[in-house]
Amino acid sequence: MIDHLVKALHVRGELRLTVRVRPSAKRTCIKRLGEDGVLRVDVAAQPEGNRANTELVRYLAEAFGIPRTNIDFISGGTSRTKTVRLRMV
């Protein structure tokens, strides 16, 4: 589903994504990439204590094959809609 995003990250070296998070889901998974370009992700963690953000970073790092330290929140750290930056280096 996100293969083209993974390829874009590897070609460009950096990718900015708008992510819409649904915390407290049964499991962490990508639901869909909307026509508006927003990646919708269910997160199996509570939104308290930054647990949902930590789980989102863990999952995105695994899905894109990059270290967790290469993922930054550009905006929306406390919101359900976030902008994240993924870097190869």
Side-chain angles (χ1 to χ4, degrees), residues 1-83:
M1 176 189 304
I2 62 165
D3 294 337
H4 68 285
L5 292 175
V6 174
K7 287 178 186 176
L9 174 61
H10 286 275
V11 169
R12 296 180 194 162
E14 181 176 305
L15 190 64
R16 289 178 187 228
L17 293 174
T18 301
V19 181
R20 177 76 178 166
V21 176
R22 187 178 71 126
S24 305
K26 270 189 169 181
R27 63 186 179 107
T28 301
C29 65
I30 294 173
K31 295 305 279 185
R32 65 186 166 101
L33 178 61
E35 292 178 14
D36 55 359
V38 176
L39 187 67
R40 299 202 188 322
V41 180
D42 283 358
V43 176
Q46 300 295 320
E48 294 89 23
N50 208 31
R51 287 185 290 243
N53 284 345
T54 302
E55 175 64 8
L56 175 65
V57 168
R58 183 205 63 78
Y59 183 76
L60 290 176
E62 182 181 308
F64 283 87
I66 59 174
R68 294 177 192 180
T69 56
N70 289 6
I71 299 175
D72 302 311
F73 288 98
I74 302 299
S75 65
T78 58
S79 172
R80 286 186 183 211
T81 303
K82 306 167 185 312
T83 302

